[in-house]
């Protein structure tokens, strides 16, 4: 596990240590061997990329900035609303925010 954490950190992947109980809940009873990886269901881009999208469309940038939105259902609803309103992108912090997971993806659809 230490090797996995070290390699992940070297690649810039956020590592969060949690209890065995948390791992069991996250794996829903499947064997996890002490490690669970979660991937994003959408692509993260830089703020510069969002500005480029607006520029390519010849529009003033319309960006939604979220702070500490921890509930994935709320984040999904914000993304869905941003899309409907014509926003060029949504900015979320790396920490203290819901990550782009299956719940966010489903709620945003």
């Amino acid at each position: 596990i230490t090797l996995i954490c070290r390699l992940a950190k070297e690649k810039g992947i956020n590592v969060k240590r949690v209890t065995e109980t948390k791992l069991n809940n996250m794996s829903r009873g499947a064997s996890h061997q002490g490690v669970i990886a979660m991937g994003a269901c959408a692509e993260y881009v830089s703020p510069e990329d969002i500005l480029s999208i607006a520029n390519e469309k010849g529009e003033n940038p319309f960006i939604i900035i979220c702070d500490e939105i921890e509930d994935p259902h709320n984040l999904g609803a914000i993304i869905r609303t941003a899309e409907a309103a014509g926003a060029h992108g949504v900015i979320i912090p790396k920490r203290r925010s819901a990550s782009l997971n299956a719940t966010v993806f489903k709620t945003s659809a």
Side-chain angles (χ1 to χ4, degrees):
I1 294 175
T2 303
L3 174 61
I4 293 170
C5 291
R6 183 177 55 79
L7 292 172
K9 287 181 180 179
E10 286 175 7
K11 297 290 185 184
I13 298 170
N14 291 329
V15 175
K16 182 176 179 182
R17 294 186 180 269
V18 297
T19 65
E20 184 80 16
T21 302
K22 177 73 173 177
L23 289 174
N24 291 336
N25 290 338
M26 291 173 70
S27 69
R28 297 182 184 145
S31 176
H32 54 72
Q33 299 180 0
V35 178
I36 293 179
M38 297 178 67
C41 61
E43 181 181 357
Y44 289 96
V45 298
S46 71
E48 291 79 15
D49 293 333
I50 295 171
L51 294 173
S52 292
I53 292 167
N55 189 39
E56 288 171 11
K57 293 181 175 182
E59 300 172 351
N60 290 325
F62 179 21
I63 302 171
I64 308 299
I65 301 174
C66 299
D67 186 30
E68 297 188 28
I69 307 296
E70 296 180 355
D71 185 309
H73 293 96
N74 290 343
L75 181 57
I78 290 167
I79 292 171
R80 182 179 66 241
T81 303
E83 174 71 23
H88 297 103
V90 176
I91 295 177
I92 60 173
K94 287 184 179 180
R95 291 174 176 67
R96 295 186 316 270
S97 175
S99 58
L100 298 178
N101 60 28
T103 301
V104 173
F105 182 73
K106 185 176 180 181
T107 306
S108 69

